Amino acid sequence: MSNHSQLGLHEEMLLLARKGEQGSFYFGTRPQFPVAGAIVMELILQNRLQLCGRRNRSVEVVNPASLGDPLLDECLGMISVKRPVGLATLVRRISSIWHVLQRVARGLCDKDILREQRESFLFIFRYTDFIQVDPTPKRQLLERLSQAIFTESEDIDPRTAVIVSLAKSSDLLDKAIDTPLLRVHRKRIKQIAEGESVGKATKEVIVALRAAAAVAGAAAATMIVTTGS
């Protein structure tokens, strides 16, 4: 039986980014950044981190207790309990974890949502793919996002607002929800993405996290270009 009554934000972001039933991703060449941002937000919503600093937004540990998830615990352990770390720095650190996307995918395998499968190309190059075996979680996620975007409901939970925000900032939203209605509801999407539909504290985190993910992604892109040249 599937165990997906409450997926982490990083797991939902990975599901949203998948193309159909296969293991490739919609968002560009750096899908690890929005997933890393979702991990940070998950730690905040799980009351392990909190936002601090007014100008240079940082996070600090408020509870170092294990969450029982090896990846989340590893990310929490990246932060000293005595010293805050910049949001962009933390997103960059998490995005640099070896095979971070595969680790999130394997967590979904443990919940019987994906299945790990070894593939080969030209019978020489071997790689791991993750095949969707239970479409229910992604369908429910898309229904939740559509409900938030295409209606005037003011009852939008923080998790949905975070997914909309990170998906919009990574150019994923219009790929995952392929409908002309998105253009009609651009104002509504902007409102949700900027945290206007959630409480003040959550809005502050959403705005800061979007900026941090953008900075981390831009820094990585600059490093790649500089190294390549």
Side-chain angles (χ1 to χ4, degrees), residues 19-33:
K19 293 181 179 180
E21 297 181 359
Q22 301 306 310
S24 55
F25 299 102
Y26 280 122
F27 41 30
T29 58
R30 295 183 299 278
Q32 67 271 28
F33 287 102

PDB file of all heavy atoms in Angstrom, residues 19-33:
ATOM      1  N   LYS A  19       8.500  14.525 -16.344  1.00  0.00           N
ATOM      2  CA  LYS A  19       7.778  14.490 -17.616  1.00  0.00           C
ATOM      3  C   LYS A  19       7.042  13.167 -17.732  1.00  0.00           C
ATOM      4  O   LYS A  19       7.667  12.110 -17.892  1.00  0.00           O
ATOM      5  CB  LYS A  19       8.747  14.638 -18.785  1.00  0.00           C
ATOM      6  CG  LYS A  19       9.412  15.990 -18.884  1.00  0.00           C
ATOM      7  CD  LYS A  19      10.337  16.041 -20.093  1.00  0.00           C
ATOM      8  CE  LYS A  19      11.001  17.388 -20.215  1.00  0.00           C
ATOM      9  NZ  LYS A  19      11.914  17.455 -21.380  1.00  0.00           N
ATOM     10  N   GLY A  20       5.743  13.214 -17.648  1.00  0.00           N
ATOM     11  CA  GLY A  20       4.948  12.008 -17.810  1.00  0.00           C
ATOM     12  C   GLY A  20       5.324  10.951 -16.799  1.00  0.00           C
ATOM     13  O   GLY A  20       5.462  11.220 -15.617  1.00  0.00           O
ATOM     14  N   GLU A  21       5.542   9.741 -17.275  1.00  0.00           N
ATOM     15  CA  GLU A  21       5.869   8.618 -16.391  1.00  0.00           C
ATOM     16  C   GLU A  21       7.368   8.346 -16.338  1.00  0.00           C
ATOM     17  O   GLU A  21       7.811   7.467 -15.607  1.00  0.00           O
ATOM     18  CB  GLU A  21       5.138   7.355 -16.864  1.00  0.00           C
ATOM     19  CG  GLU A  21       3.618   7.470 -16.803  1.00  0.00           C
ATOM     20  CD  GLU A  21       2.934   6.190 -17.253  1.00  0.00           C
ATOM     21  OE1 GLU A  21       3.658   5.257 -17.626  1.00  0.00           O
ATOM     22  OE2 GLU A  21       1.695   6.138 -17.225  1.00  0.00           O
ATOM     23  N   GLN A  22       8.156   9.102 -17.122  1.00  0.00           N
ATOM     24  CA  GLN A  22       9.580   8.831 -17.194  1.00  0.00           C
ATOM     25  C   GLN A  22      10.362   9.677 -16.195  1.00  0.00           C
ATOM     26  O   GLN A  22       9.812  10.485 -15.466  1.00  0.00           O
ATOM     27  CB  GLN A  22      10.082   9.069 -18.625  1.00  0.00           C
ATOM     28  CG  GLN A  22       9.382   8.215 -19.667  1.00  0.00           C
ATOM     29  CD  GLN A  22       9.449   6.732 -19.332  1.00  0.00           C
ATOM     30  OE1 GLN A  22      10.521   6.205 -19.038  1.00  0.00           O
ATOM     31  NE2 GLN A  22       8.316   6.047 -19.370  1.00  0.00           N
ATOM     32  N   GLY A  23      11.677   9.503 -16.177  1.00  0.00           N
ATOM     33  CA  GLY A  23      12.493  10.123 -15.151  1.00  0.00           C
ATOM     34  C   GLY A  23      13.137  11.437 -15.527  1.00  0.00           C
ATOM     35  O   GLY A  23      13.897  11.993 -14.741  1.00  0.00           O
ATOM     36  N   SER A  24      12.874  11.977 -16.731  1.00  0.00           N
ATOM     37  CA  SER A  24      13.475  13.256 -17.110  1.00  0.00           C
ATOM     38  C   SER A  24      12.684  14.402 -16.491  1.00  0.00           C
ATOM     39  O   SER A  24      11.541  14.244 -16.059  1.00  0.00           O
ATOM     40  CB  SER A  24      13.513  13.391 -18.634  1.00  0.00           C
ATOM     41  OG  SER A  24      12.222  13.227 -19.175  1.00  0.00           O
ATOM     42  N   PHE A  25      13.309  15.586 -16.475  1.00  0.00           N
ATOM     43  CA  PHE A  25      12.723  16.727 -15.791  1.00  0.00           C
ATOM     44  C   PHE A  25      12.388  17.855 -16.756  1.00  0.00           C
ATOM     45  O   PHE A  25      13.026  18.040 -17.779  1.00  0.00           O
ATOM     46  CB  PHE A  25      13.696  17.260 -14.725  1.00  0.00           C
ATOM     47  CG  PHE A  25      14.027  16.262 -13.662  1.00  0.00           C
ATOM     48  CD1 PHE A  25      15.241  15.580 -13.698  1.00  0.00           C
ATOM     49  CD2 PHE A  25      13.155  15.988 -12.629  1.00  0.00           C
ATOM     50  CE1 PHE A  25      15.566  14.654 -12.731  1.00  0.00           C
ATOM     51  CE2 PHE A  25      13.464  15.067 -11.652  1.00  0.00           C
ATOM     52  CZ  PHE A  25      14.669  14.399 -11.706  1.00  0.00           C
ATOM     53  N   TYR A  26      11.382  18.642 -16.378  1.00  0.00           N
ATOM     54  CA  TYR A  26      11.014  19.809 -17.151  1.00  0.00           C
ATOM     55  C   TYR A  26      11.998  20.964 -16.965  1.00  0.00           C
ATOM     56  O   TYR A  26      12.390  21.607 -17.903  1.00  0.00           O
ATOM     57  CB  TYR A  26       9.625  20.316 -16.731  1.00  0.00           C
ATOM     58  CG  TYR A  26       8.480  19.549 -17.322  1.00  0.00           C
ATOM     59  CD1 TYR A  26       7.549  18.932 -16.497  1.00  0.00           C
ATOM     60  CD2 TYR A  26       8.310  19.445 -18.700  1.00  0.00           C
ATOM     61  CE1 TYR A  26       6.477  18.240 -17.021  1.00  0.00           C
ATOM     62  CE2 TYR A  26       7.241  18.748 -19.235  1.00  0.00           C
ATOM     63  CZ  TYR A  26       6.318  18.148 -18.392  1.00  0.00           C
ATOM     64  OH  TYR A  26       5.258  17.461 -18.904  1.00  0.00           O
ATOM     65  N   PHE A  27      12.357  21.261 -15.692  1.00  0.00           N
ATOM     66  CA  PHE A  27      13.016  22.528 -15.473  1.00  0.00           C
ATOM     67  C   PHE A  27      14.520  22.518 -15.731  1.00  0.00           C
ATOM     68  O   PHE A  27      15.323  22.154 -14.893  1.00  0.00           O
ATOM     69  CB  PHE A  27      12.744  23.129 -14.079  1.00  0.00           C
ATOM     70  CG  PHE A  27      12.743  22.202 -12.904  1.00  0.00           C
ATOM     71  CD1 PHE A  27      13.503  21.067 -12.846  1.00  0.00           C
ATOM     72  CD2 PHE A  27      11.950  22.512 -11.812  1.00  0.00           C
ATOM     73  CE1 PHE A  27      13.503  20.258 -11.742  1.00  0.00           C
ATOM     74  CE2 PHE A  27      11.938  21.702 -10.696  1.00  0.00           C
ATOM     75  CZ  PHE A  27      12.717  20.574 -10.670  1.00  0.00           C
ATOM     76  N   GLY A  28      14.884  22.981 -16.931  1.00  0.00           N
ATOM     77  CA  GLY A  28      16.241  23.316 -17.306  1.00  0.00           C
ATOM     78  C   GLY A  28      17.295  22.276 -16.984  1.00  0.00           C
ATOM     79  O   GLY A  28      17.054  21.084 -16.892  1.00  0.00           O
ATOM     80  N   THR A  29      18.497  22.775 -16.808  1.00  0.00           N
ATOM     81  CA  THR A  29      19.635  21.906 -16.551  1.00  0.00           C
ATOM     82  C   THR A  29      20.020  21.888 -15.075  1.00  0.00           C
ATOM     83  O   THR A  29      20.944  21.190 -14.700  1.00  0.00           O
ATOM     84  CB  THR A  29      20.849  22.393 -17.364  1.00  0.00           C
ATOM     85  OG1 THR A  29      21.132  23.756 -17.008  1.00  0.00           O
ATOM     86  CG2 THR A  29      20.570  22.302 -18.857  1.00  0.00           C
ATOM     87  N   ARG A  30      19.306  22.666 -14.238  1.00  0.00           N
ATOM     88  CA  ARG A  30      19.648  22.717 -12.822  1.00  0.00           C
ATOM     89  C   ARG A  30      18.407  22.504 -11.951  1.00  0.00           C
ATOM     90  O   ARG A  30      18.023  23.379 -11.159  1.00  0.00           O
ATOM     91  CB  ARG A  30      20.315  24.061 -12.492  1.00  0.00           C
ATOM     92  CG  ARG A  30      21.655  24.249 -13.184  1.00  0.00           C
ATOM     93  CD  ARG A  30      22.322  25.547 -12.772  1.00  0.00           C
ATOM     94  NE  ARG A  30      21.540  26.698 -13.115  1.00  0.00           N
ATOM     95  CZ  ARG A  30      21.508  27.262 -14.317  1.00  0.00           C
ATOM     96  NH1 ARG A  30      22.245  26.758 -15.290  1.00  0.00           N
ATOM     97  NH2 ARG A  30      20.774  28.323 -14.574  1.00  0.00           N
ATOM     98  N   PRO A  31      17.770  21.334 -12.067  1.00  0.00           N
ATOM     99  CA  PRO A  31      16.544  21.083 -11.287  1.00  0.00           C
ATOM    100  C   PRO A  31      16.800  20.963  -9.800  1.00  0.00           C
ATOM    101  O   PRO A  31      15.872  20.974  -8.997  1.00  0.00           O
ATOM    102  CB  PRO A  31      16.033  19.762 -11.861  1.00  0.00           C
ATOM    103  CG  PRO A  31      17.262  19.094 -12.395  1.00  0.00           C
ATOM    104  CD  PRO A  31      18.125  20.193 -12.929  1.00  0.00           C
ATOM    105  N   GLN A  32      18.079  20.841  -9.407  1.00  0.00           N
ATOM    106  CA  GLN A  32      18.380  20.663  -7.992  1.00  0.00           C
ATOM    107  C   GLN A  32      18.100  21.918  -7.169  1.00  0.00           C
ATOM    108  O   GLN A  32      17.890  21.831  -5.951  1.00  0.00           O
ATOM    109  CB  GLN A  32      19.845  20.238  -7.794  1.00  0.00           C
ATOM    110  CG  GLN A  32      20.885  21.287  -8.155  1.00  0.00           C
ATOM    111  CD  GLN A  32      21.302  21.217  -9.612  1.00  0.00           C
ATOM    112  OE1 GLN A  32      20.533  20.802 -10.471  1.00  0.00           O
ATOM    113  NE2 GLN A  32      22.517  21.642  -9.880  1.00  0.00           N
ATOM    114  N   PHE A  33      18.053  23.103  -7.792  1.00  0.00           N
ATOM    115  CA  PHE A  33      17.879  24.322  -7.006  1.00  0.00           C
ATOM    116  C   PHE A  33      16.468  24.495  -6.452  1.00  0.00           C
ATOM    117  O   PHE A  33      16.311  24.777  -5.256  1.00  0.00           O
ATOM    118  CB  PHE A  33      18.332  25.540  -7.808  1.00  0.00           C
ATOM    119  CG  PHE A  33      19.824  25.610  -7.944  1.00  0.00           C
ATOM    120  CD1 PHE A  33      20.457  25.223  -9.111  1.00  0.00           C
ATOM    121  CD2 PHE A  33      20.604  26.018  -6.880  1.00  0.00           C
ATOM    122  CE1 PHE A  33      21.831  25.250  -9.220  1.00  0.00           C
ATOM    123  CE2 PHE A  33      21.989  26.050  -6.975  1.00  0.00           C
ATOM    124  CZ  PHE A  33      22.599  25.667  -8.155  1.00  0.00           C
TER     125      PHE A  33
END
